[in-house]
Amino acid sequence: MSTFGVEDDEESPTAIKIEAEYIAQKIKRLINERYQVPDDDGSERDITFSDIVILLRSVKGRAWQYAAALSEIDIPIEFPGGEGYFETTEVITALSLLAVIDNPIQDIPLASVMNSPLYNFTADELAELKLKSREKDLYSSIKESAERDIVSDETRVKCKKMLSDIDDLRIMSGDISSDRFIWNMYNRTGLLDLVSKMRGGEKRKGNLILLAESAKQFERSGYKGVYGFLRFIKNLQDRGIELTDRVNDKSTFPESYNSVKIMSIHKSKGLEFPIVILANTSKFNNFQDIRKNVVFHNELGLGVMLTDPTQRIRYSTLARTAIQNKLNDEMLSEELRVLYVAMTRAREKLIITATLKNTERTKEQLEEIPAGIVDPQAALALKSMIEWILVGIRGIEDAELSINYLDSGIIESIRNLASGAEKKIVPLPLTGVTYESDLSADSSRETISETDSRFSYPFKSSVDLPSKLTVTGLKALLDPEAELAPWVQKEKEKSAPVSSPLFISGNKELTAADQGTLMHLVLQHIDYKKSSHEHDNNRVAKELQRLSNIGFLTNEQIDKINIGKIKKLLSSTLGVRMTAAKMMEREFKFSILRPAEEFYPGGGTEKILLQGVVDCFFEEDNEIVVVDFKTNRVTEKNVDKIAQQYSQQLNTYADALHHITGKHVKEKIIYFFSIDHAYIL
């Protein structure tokens, strides 16, 4: 544990910068000194960057400073849950340029390209272009500005350069495959060289290479052209899938497999790392909501300020004070649970850092709290994680536990300080020695636990709860024996993103999972009313051809579709009901918070985000009917058994739809295509 005395407030950029630079140098030292951690085979090995994680209570507005400090000394970083692949500057620029080449009459992608490092149009120059041609689209404004003397010389030169690139690339785009075109686009614009000179250049370059490689896979599947590739990317974005999720070749992203992770404590639930650096622990707990004029508690109700209009004074009411106290207790309890999660993520070494405005004053205040079990009222007065930690470890004498008090001085000195030349080390009177905790020694854990054997953490079950569950994954959770059952495996294959599009695997023969995915795709997009026209037996085939014409299906896929199965569905009682329904939703995605107790006995009041996709539901007599389509093989003999295995899934769908729509779910139906049967649960 390292604490830095700084003159600025704990949440100031200066304080965070000092702490971030110290952490960066500390990581460098661990790597250079070849710190040993246990290997999978029981031996010991040198530490790598991927063994280290930096945990923050909140990553918003802070994580970038830690990332910048690490990047400054060439430490590779990974930021799960931070900037996504499609949100990176280089990928946004490349995709925007592709969109402009496909169709330049798109103001938003065009403005994105203009404002990118490729062409460096300023905000003033963009405004100047629009002012000169207010009634025209941005592309026409650029063309006019390049040909006429209506803007500044510098702006006109930029317009000409950009137009030249776009025109040449548009001519080229119709003659070559999308992957070759992307490489030509990189060469023409110098985009690869440009991003490689930016901070994190190798990773940015890898992002662009991955985009080109994905286009190559796209072309191998039989799809062609920039427009088709852009539609493929748009589909991935709509489904929340990153291209990096599909990477199997580690050579494409070496940094992402040996890099220091920066993540929130919340995201780390259920994970463990050899070395954990818990940073920014001096951040004050946020009580802003409690101090508002109107406060709310889901059990106690509302509490408001009382205004005396004659004396022009506002008073806090008894109800407001009671609710404030309740909210304060609950918030502190939650912060303690979060701290417990953070401190139990480390397997070998736990490092805690904090920046303190006045170290001596903080130590004096903590010394006033009597030793032993901390009185609840005293605990309520503590304002941050670091204060809880310093009070909690008093009296522990262990060679593996120490605290460093370091005088930060000027920012530049922190590099020397962290690399081994400590300027000033002040022993902590409350505990003695300096802190980093090596958890590899069992004695360390025992010493901490022996400080008060009477205390038992009341929320142990919450620590390992997942923050999110999917409906498909509930079957194995609720019925462990069903984990390897065929229907569970079918569902896993169906939900696996890498096996869904045919062009990803390059396999011309459709697997059972691909067949199921294809059938769901058809049922999602066909027009039921047109397809079930009783006077035209070819309506289904015509509808499939329509989907092919607009790019949803290929002719090869149409050949694999069992049209007879679709006809039987549409002509069945269920199909007639779906066709007649005034409201029907297909592939309905939902996310809903549910009590953990529903899925994990003892989960308490913790909330878990439940996500799922309902194949189909329709409204009938102001009530909801849920339909789930199954393409796995069943027989008349085992249909009852298999249907019951899916009952929990349908019940969960029904419960979610009831909460979302507010309407009663009157029926839950599984339609098995293999036997053309609608099974009512």
Side-chain angles (χ1 to χ4, degrees), residues 439-459:
L439 303 179
S440 54
D442 292 338
S443 59
S444 176
R445 295 179 186 267
E446 292 171 358
T447 305
I448 295 174
S449 64
E450 288 168 1
T451 56
D452 182 15
S453 59
R454 293 170 295 171
F455 176 75
S456 176
Y457 185 67
F459 304 103

Side-chain angles (χ1 to χ4, degrees), residues 9 13 56 226 268 288 417 427 442 583 597 661 678:
D9 181 67
L56 300 170
V226 173
S268 72
Q288 274 188 318
L417 181 152
D442 292 338
M583 188 283 293
E597 186 70 33
T661 66

Side-chain angles (χ1 to χ4, degrees), residues 499-606:
S499 63
S500 297
L502 182 60
F503 52 79
I504 293 298
S505 63
N507 185 6
K508 298 300 182 182
E509 291 298 325
L510 292 183
T511 64
D514 292 331
Q515 289 278 11
T517 302
L518 186 56
M519 182 64 80
H520 278 75
L521 180 66
V522 172
L523 295 173
Q524 179 184 357
H525 294 292
I526 63 170
D527 188 323
Y528 279 36
K529 288 183 169 57
K530 290 182 179 179
S531 301
S532 59
H533 198 289
E534 60 183 8
H535 299 299
D536 189 348
N537 291 328
N538 294 323
R539 290 302 297 178
V540 173
K542 292 179 179 178
E543 185 64 11
L544 294 178
Q545 190 57 50
R546 180 184 69 84
L547 294 180
S548 175
N549 294 338
I550 61 177
F552 280 114
L553 297 172
T554 65
N555 291 329
E556 291 83 358
Q557 288 175 318
I558 292 178
D559 292 338
K560 303 288 185 180
I561 297 170
N562 191 331
I563 296 179
K565 292 290 183 183
I566 299 175
K567 287 182 178 180
K568 287 184 179 181
L569 166 65
L570 296 176
S571 62
S572 68
T573 303
L574 175 61
V576 172
R577 292 171 65 186
M578 290 192 297
T579 304
K582 293 182 179 180
M583 188 283 293
M584 180 171 65
E585 290 281 351
R586 291 175 277 179
E587 294 295 319
F588 179 77
K589 299 177 182 179
F590 67 86
S591 298
I592 186 171
L593 287 172
R594 302 301 298 154
E597 186 70 33
E598 291 184 8
F599 316 112
Y600 295 90
T605 58
E606 292 281 336

Side-chain angles (χ1 to χ4, degrees), residues 285 287 328-329 331-333 335-336 365-366 368-370 372-385 387-389 391-392 394:
N285 297 321
F287 295 103
N328 184 73
D329 292 348
M331 289 179 64
L332 288 176
S333 296
E335 291 301 314
L336 279 170
Q365 290 173 345
L366 298 181
E368 293 176 1
I369 299 176
I373 300 174
V374 180
D375 184 81
Q377 295 303 316
L380 288 174
L382 302 177
K383 300 177 182 179
S384 63
M385 287 184 178
E387 293 182 356
W388 284 334
I389 294 168
V391 169
R394 291 176 305 169

Side-chain angles (χ1 to χ4, degrees), residues 181-386:
F181 174 75
I182 290 175
W183 283 113
N184 278 277
M185 181 182 76
Y186 290 164
N187 293 332
R188 168 75 189 221
T189 60
L191 186 57
L192 279 179
D193 291 335
L194 183 64
V195 301
S196 64
K197 296 174 183 177
M198 298 168 64
R199 177 170 290 170
E202 284 303 311
K203 187 170 184 178
R204 295 182 186 276
K205 188 176 179 180
N207 285 335
L208 293 179
I209 293 173
L210 176 60
L211 188 68
E213 289 300 312
S214 299
K216 188 175 182 179
Q217 292 291 329
F218 175 80
E219 292 283 338
R220 284 176 178 172
S221 68
Y223 295 84
K224 301 294 181 183
V226 173
Y227 172 72
F229 180 65
L230 286 172
R231 288 198 59 185
F232 162 56
I233 294 295
K234 180 65 166 59
N235 179 261
L236 291 182
Q237 291 175 302
D238 290 343
R239 293 160 59 195
I241 299 174
E242 302 279 11
L243 278 182
T244 48
D245 295 340
R246 303 172 179 273
V247 175
N248 292 320
D249 182 9
K250 295 187 179 183
S251 64
T252 306
F253 280 108
E255 301 92 340
S256 66
Y257 292 90
N258 185 24
S259 55
V260 176
K261 295 180 179 62
I262 302 175
M263 64 171 64
S264 66
I265 298 172
H266 177 73
K267 287 280 188 182
S268 72
K269 284 182 67 174
L271 303 176
E272 281 191 339
F273 306 89
I275 295 182
V276 170
I277 301 176
L278 177 57
N280 197 221
T281 55
S282 58
K283 176 184 179 296
F284 286 172
N285 297 321
N286 187 357
F287 295 103
Q288 274 188 318
D289 291 340
I290 296 178
R291 300 190 183 100
K292 290 181 178 179
N293 292 335
V294 180
V295 293
F296 173 77
H297 188 271
N298 57 0
E299 294 178 357
L300 302 182
L302 286 173
V304 299
M305 296 285 286
L306 177 65
T307 303
D308 186 339
T310 57
Q311 299 188 41
R312 303 175 68 85
I313 297 175
R314 288 186 303 179
Y315 301 91
S316 182
T317 60
L318 185 62
R320 180 173 177 270
T321 302
I323 292 173
Q324 282 180 312
N325 291 337
K326 182 68 172 176
L327 290 173
N328 184 73
D329 292 348
E330 291 180 353
M331 289 179 64
L332 288 176
S333 296
E334 173 62 20
E335 291 301 314
L336 279 170
R337 284 197 292 272
V338 169
L339 177 59
Y340 179 84
V341 169
M343 295 185 69
T344 53
R345 299 309 93 197
R347 291 201 303 265
E348 311 303 328
K349 192 179 191 68
L350 173 64
I351 301 172
I352 303 174
T353 62
T355 49
L356 302 176
K357 183 177 181 179
N358 191 319
T359 304
E360 293 300 325
R361 187 179 65 185
T362 300
K363 289 193 294 182
E364 291 172 2
Q365 290 173 345
L366 298 181
E367 285 177 327
E368 293 176 1
I369 299 176
I373 300 174
V374 180
D375 184 81
Q377 295 303 316
L380 288 174
L382 302 177
K383 300 177 182 179
S384 63
M385 287 184 178
I386 189 61

